[in-house]
């Protein structure tokens, strides 16, 4: 009798473990699908769009919007010493520009941002008066940064506290924006850092794209060859 009771317990535990594994696998697949679909709501904006899924499970989307090529990346940052894990949105306008160096302005850099090459740039310059007080600026050559008057025209971008970084380079311009932070309660209690469950809304993307287009146009106008004064 005891043998049958023990056998029943073993069978019951095995069945419970099998159910738990099945639920865990199903939940993991559901999370993967949600992550991969993070750009689904904005993908219709893109023509000739190409979408790929990074090893993180989050997508990368490239394509044309109103004749301009944009590149979107979602990069999770789950470094344990941060207050909360974050999901960063990288919006890039990858078009050649007449600038000769790399300019990178970041808000509160910590030196370990997985979405940026900020810490690898070899020169840090003093922050001019009127720039965000909590920012740092790095470049590859201080003699080649864009004119300060041009940069000042676009500082309004940082009125949005979720804007983390602005990059200007010969290859194009980029904004890094805080798309989401992990739920504080779930993270503190369960270390649950799941993000990107809700797709990125188009209304959050539009201002970032518009800011990049305005910056690109300003750079092209600033660096345009001056017309000759001689006949």
């Amino acid at each position: 009798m005891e043998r049958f009771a023990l056998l029943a317990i073993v069978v019951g535990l095995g069945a419970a473990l099998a159910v738990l594994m099945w639920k865990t696998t199903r939940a993991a697949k559901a999370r993967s699908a949600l992550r991969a679909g993070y750009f689904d709501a904005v993908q219709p904006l893109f023509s000739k769009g190409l979408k790929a899924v990074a090893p993180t499970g989050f997508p990368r989307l490239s394509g044309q919007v109103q004749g301009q090529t944009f590149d979107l990346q979602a990069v999770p940052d789950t470094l344990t010493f941060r207050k909360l894990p974050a999901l960063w949105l990288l919006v890039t306008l990858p078009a050649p520009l007449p600038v000769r160096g790399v300019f990178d302005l970041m808000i509160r850099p910590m030196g370990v941002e997985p979405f940026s090459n900020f810490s690898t740039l070899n020169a840090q310059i003093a922050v001019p008066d009127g720039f965000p007080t909590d920012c740092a600026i790095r470049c590859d050559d201080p003699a080649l940064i864009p004119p300060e008057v041009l940069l000042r025209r676009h500082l309004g971008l940082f009125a949005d506290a979720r804007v983390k970084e602005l990059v200007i380079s010969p290859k194009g311009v980029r904004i890094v924006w805080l798309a989401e932070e992990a739920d504080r309660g779930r993270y503190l209690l369960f270390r649950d850092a799941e993000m990107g469950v809700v797709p990125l809304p188009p209304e959050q993307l539009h201002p970032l794209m518009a800011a990049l287009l305005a910056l690109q146009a300003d750079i092209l106008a600033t660096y345009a060859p001056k017309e000759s004064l001689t006949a």
Side-chain angles (χ1 to χ4, degrees), residues 26-230:
R26 186 176 67 171
K29 289 182 178 179
R31 286 195 300 269
S32 296
L34 289 172
R35 284 189 174 194
Y38 184 65
F39 289 146
D40 283 359
V42 299
Q43 189 166 1
L45 302 175
F46 289 73
S47 61
K48 303 178 182 178
L50 295 176
K51 178 181 173 182
V53 178
T56 60
F58 284 96
R60 181 171 185 170
L61 177 62
S62 298
Q64 291 191 343
V65 179
Q66 297 180 349
Q68 292 277 4
T69 298
F70 283 90
D71 179 84
L72 305 182
Q73 296 180 66
V75 179
D77 182 0
T78 56
L79 296 175
T80 55
F81 62 85
R82 289 187 179 274
K83 292 182 179 179
L84 285 174
L87 181 64
W88 300 100
L89 173 67
L90 280 61
V91 186
T92 307
L93 189 54
L97 290 174
V99 299
R100 295 168 54 199
V102 177
F103 168 89
D104 195 331
L105 187 158
M106 183 179 289
I107 304 297
R108 295 179 297 278
M110 300 182 67
V112 289
E113 288 78 11
F115 52 81
S116 177
N117 293 322
F118 181 83
S119 62
T120 67
L121 294 170
N122 55 24
Q124 183 161 338
I125 63 176
V127 177
D129 292 339
F131 278 58
T133 56
D134 51 357
C135 80
I137 300 174
R138 296 189 71 88
C139 61
D140 54 359
D141 186 340
L144 300 179
I145 64 173
E148 185 179 320
V149 64
L150 182 152
L151 298 171
R152 287 186 181 278
R153 287 197 289 267
H154 300 274
L155 291 181
L157 173 68
F158 292 95
D160 181 351
R162 295 166 74 174
V163 174
K164 177 69 171 177
E165 183 181 28
L166 174 65
V167 181
I168 301 173
S169 82
K171 296 180 180 179
V173 288
R174 168 180 289 171
I175 292 171
V176 178
W177 184 78
L178 178 59
E180 189 176 344
E181 286 184 319
D183 179 85
R184 180 177 295 275
R186 292 188 62 83
Y187 181 69
L188 294 178
L189 290 175
F190 308 111
R191 289 303 179 194
D192 182 354
E194 189 60 34
M195 298 173 289
V197 174
V198 178
L200 175 70
E203 58 268 23
Q204 292 184 350
L205 178 61
H206 286 147
L208 303 175
M209 298 172 74
L212 287 179
L213 288 171
L215 176 58
Q216 180 196 59
D218 200 358
I219 293 172
L220 293 174
T222 298
Y223 285 84
K226 305 302 181 182
E227 293 184 5
S228 174
L229 298 180
T230 61

